């Protein structure tokens, strides 16, 4: 791809299908690359990243724990007995209430995140999830269990939107993509813990066999509440609230190890300040901002697509209904189901972590294309193997389905897990970032609600034929990514702020250069 500045503004079509030719003046990216000291040799930056794990990156542990726990509880005899063997519609209701809670509360998430700050929004979400998990543990009937899951769902969007934004806005540009990729891989830490707990409790004769997993769901949220105020606030949020001195102090401490003369931090601050200033000038109030321009509409379309794709690619089947899928291929023993669930979550954590540490080095659009094509291939083969078992009850077909379930994991994780929040933070400018990620969450939760309610009914009534609908949607995903996904790798958030707005790029570059030039002149005069 060409890297030189184009002689004429690029069209939206060119932006959508190819790597951007010149998004903004890459001065901060260039200065960041000149710093060859690795993050682990920088005391303050090392501390910042360490604090991110229990407070921000670990937020997705709750989602992973929830999905794996519901999966595992279906093979816990005391849970099945206590709630009178929920199947089909009732089982779908239990799973879907988590997504319904998120759908209901999402319109409130951007104003809370933007007005109260990223840290306070994480706290709000974590407290709600602790309350929900406590009620879930104490449930005395089906209705109480369902309501508890609704409350947990009310909390998760606050934590996810604020945490993913805070990771992107606080990280050093050199590590931002990797940390954003690790955000989703922590899903599997929660999954592994929940799968291990349900494997250990499934044979308990008392109701603590299912209450213990429910109680331990409070742990990730408790970690966030405990450690979140040891974390600094987003410098971008502080600058947007007129608290530039605090933002500068944070950037100096963590991005320059306390060096107030750092050229990189000065350029970074100016770039953030001038970009926010330019965004505010062109911003409209409210949600209409997301559809005000062609560029914003393109961003919103991609965010909505990712919400659907991350739920309608077949992952919801193994996340919540693995036990029922295994029933359909002749695996009925509860111990075997829990072992497969634990093995699949451990394998998912392993490959998701490896991919999170590596795929951010590659072009985003290329990785999404590779992901969608491989998912289509694997899921089609999975469907064929399931059909053959239904017709012949051949054990080789049953084992093939299990093999494809394990093969599916890295295909999904290479982009939908490893890159999604990184990509969302990159394509949405600061002023609409919380709204953009909320749109992604809304479509994702709607798709998840639909899947969690419909999947058990479809599996029960249609068997392998139900999987064909996923194959069709996966084909659509390949086409959408090919034609509409832009390339965002290798730039700071400010350099990507006007991804589709070429006129704004020129103005942004002019303002940043003017301030940097004035500061350089002042420095020379002092000397």
């Amino acid at each position: 791809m060409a890297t030189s500045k184009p002689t004429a503004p690029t069209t939206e079509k060119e932006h959508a299908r190819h790597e951007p030719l010149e998004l903004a003046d890459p001065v901060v990216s260039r200065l960041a690359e000149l710093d060859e000291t690795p993050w682990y040799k920088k005391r303050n930056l090392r501390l910042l990243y360490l604090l991110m794990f229990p407070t921000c990156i670990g937020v997705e542990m709750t989602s992973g724990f929830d999905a794996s726990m519901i999966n595992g509880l279906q093979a816990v005899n005391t849970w099945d007995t206590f709630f009178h063997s929920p199947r089909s519609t009732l089982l779908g209701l239990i799973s879907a209430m988590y997504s319904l809670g998120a759908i209901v509360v999402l319109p409130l998430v951007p104003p809370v995140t933007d007005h109260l700050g990223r840290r306070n929004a994480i706290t709000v979400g974590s407290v709600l999830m602790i309350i929900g998990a406590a009620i879930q543990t104490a449930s005395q009937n089906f209705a109480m269990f369902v309501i508890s899951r609704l409350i947990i769902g009310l909390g998760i969007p606050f934590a996810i939107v604020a945490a993913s934004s805070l990771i992107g806005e606080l990280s050093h540009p050199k590590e931002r993509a990797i940390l954003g990729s690790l955000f989703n891989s922590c899903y599997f830490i929660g999954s592994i813990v929940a799968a291990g707990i349900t494997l250990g409790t499934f044979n308990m004769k008392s109701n603590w066999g299912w209450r213990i997993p429910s109680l331990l769901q409070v742990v990730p949220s408790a970690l966030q509440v405990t450690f979140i105020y040891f974390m600094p606030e987003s410098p971008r949020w502080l600058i947007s609230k007129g608290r530039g001195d605090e933002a500068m102090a944070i950037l100096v401490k963590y991005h320059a190890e306390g060096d107030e003369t750092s050229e990189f931090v000065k350029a970074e601050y100016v770039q953030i300040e001038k970009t926010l200033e330019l965004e505010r000038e062109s911003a409209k109030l409210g949600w209409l901002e997301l559809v005000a321009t062609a560029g914003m509409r393109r961003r919103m379309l991609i965010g909505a697509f990712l919400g659907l794709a991350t739920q309608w690619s077949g992952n919801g089947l193994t996340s919540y209904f693995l036990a029922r899928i295994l029933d359909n291929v002749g695996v009925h023993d509860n111990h075997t189901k829990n072992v497969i669930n634990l093995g699949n979550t451990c394998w998912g954590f392993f490959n998701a972590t490896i991919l999170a540490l590596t795929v951010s080095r590659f072009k985003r659009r290329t990785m999404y294309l590779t992901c969608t094509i491989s998912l289509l291939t694997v899921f089609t083969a999975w469907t064929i193997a399931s059909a053959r078992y239904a017709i012949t009850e051949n054990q080789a077909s049953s084992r093939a389905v299990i093999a494809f379930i394990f093969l599916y994991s890295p295909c999904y994780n290479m982009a939908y897990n490893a890159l999604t929040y990184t990509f969302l933070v990159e394509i949405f400018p600061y002023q609409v970032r919380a709204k953009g990620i909320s749109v992604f969450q809304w479509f994702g939760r709607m798709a998840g609600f639909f899947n969690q309610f419909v999947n058990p009914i479809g599996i029960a009534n249609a068997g392998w034929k139900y999987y064909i609908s996923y194959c069709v949607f996966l084909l659509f995903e390949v086409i959408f990514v090919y034609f509409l996904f832009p390339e965002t790798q290798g730039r700071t958030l400010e350099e990507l702020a006007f991804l589709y707005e070429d006129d704004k790029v020129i103005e942004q570059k002019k303002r940043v250069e003017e301030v940097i030039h004035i500061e350089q002149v002042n420095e020379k005069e002092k000397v």
Side-chain angles (χ1 to χ4, degrees), residues 355-373:
L355 289 165
L357 295 171
T358 54
V359 297
S360 59
R361 296 185 175 92
F362 301 97
K363 293 182 183 298
R364 312 286 193 253
R365 182 172 173 274
T366 301
M367 294 311 302
Y368 272 109
L369 274 174
T370 305
C371 168
T372 51
I373 292 169

Side-chain angles (χ1 to χ4, degrees), residues 22-47:
E22 186 66 50
L23 299 176
D25 180 28
V27 59
V28 176
S29 294
R30 290 200 308 266
L31 290 172
E33 290 303 319
L34 292 175
D35 180 5
E36 297 181 354
T37 306
W39 66 269
Y40 53 82
K41 291 186 178 180
K42 298 177 179 179
R43 182 177 177 275
N44 293 340
L45 196 58
R46 188 171 64 237
L47 175 62

Side-chain angles (χ1 to χ4, degrees), residues 4-10 21:
S4 59
K5 186 175 179 180
T7 56
T10 52
L21 297 176

Side-chain angles (χ1 to χ4, degrees), residues 382-392 464:
W382 175 351
T383 303
I384 293 169
S386 298
R388 286 197 58 80
Y389 179 83
I391 296 168
T392 65
W464 67 268

Side-chain angles (χ1 to χ4, degrees), residues 218-389:
V218 306
V219 172
S221 299
L223 287 173
Q224 286 139 36
V225 171
T226 302
F227 291 101
I228 189 61
Y229 291 105
F230 291 98
M231 277 281 288
E233 184 54 89
S234 162
R236 289 162 176 83
W237 183 80
L238 291 170
I239 292 172
S240 74
K241 299 300 179 183
R243 295 160 62 180
D245 291 344
E246 294 175 58
M248 187 63 172
I250 290 170
L251 292 173
V252 167
K253 180 177 180 179
Y254 294 106
H255 289 190
E257 293 298 297
D259 181 8
E260 295 182 357
T261 64
S262 168
E263 286 186 29
F264 168 73
V265 163
K266 289 178 181 178
E268 187 179 28
Y269 181 90
V270 168
Q271 193 182 63
I272 294 170
E273 184 181 47
K274 293 304 172 184
T275 302
L276 291 179
E277 177 185 288
L278 194 55
E279 284 183 37
R280 281 194 297 270
E281 288 175 7
S282 58
K284 293 179 172 59
L285 297 177
W287 288 88
L288 289 177
E289 214 170 320
L290 287 172
V291 293
T293 65
M296 283 300 181
R297 290 191 290 273
R298 180 69 61 84
R299 292 179 177 97
M300 185 173 175
L301 185 62
I302 292 170
F305 166 82
L306 281 172
L308 296 176
T310 51
Q311 296 298 320
W312 280 355
S313 297
N315 51 307
L317 294 171
T318 56
S319 295
Y320 282 89
F321 305 109
L322 181 59
R324 304 287 77 85
I325 291 172
L326 294 174
D327 279 334
N328 284 350
V329 292
V331 180
H332 303 292
D333 177 65
N334 280 347
H335 180 266
T336 303
K337 290 177 183 177
N338 273 305
V339 167
I340 292 173
N341 183 35
L342 178 59
N344 193 40
T345 50
C346 288
W347 164 235
F349 173 68
F350 174 78
N351 69 66
T353 303
I354 297 299
L355 289 165
L357 295 171
T358 54
V359 297
S360 59
R361 296 185 175 92
F362 301 97
K363 293 182 183 298
R364 312 286 193 253
R365 182 172 173 274
T366 301
M367 294 311 302
Y368 272 109
L369 274 174
T370 305
C371 168
T372 51
I373 292 169
S374 60
L375 281 176
L376 176 61
T377 303
V378 169
F379 206 87
T380 302
W382 175 351
T383 303
I384 293 169
S386 298
R388 286 197 58 80
Y389 179 83

Side-chain angles (χ1 to χ4, degrees), residues 105-117 158 237 241 287 434-435 438:
V105 83
L106 270 168
L108 299 177
V109 172
V112 169
T113 305
D114 287 338
H115 291 292
L116 298 184
F158 287 103
W237 183 80
K241 299 300 179 183
W287 288 88
K435 293 185 180 73
S438 293

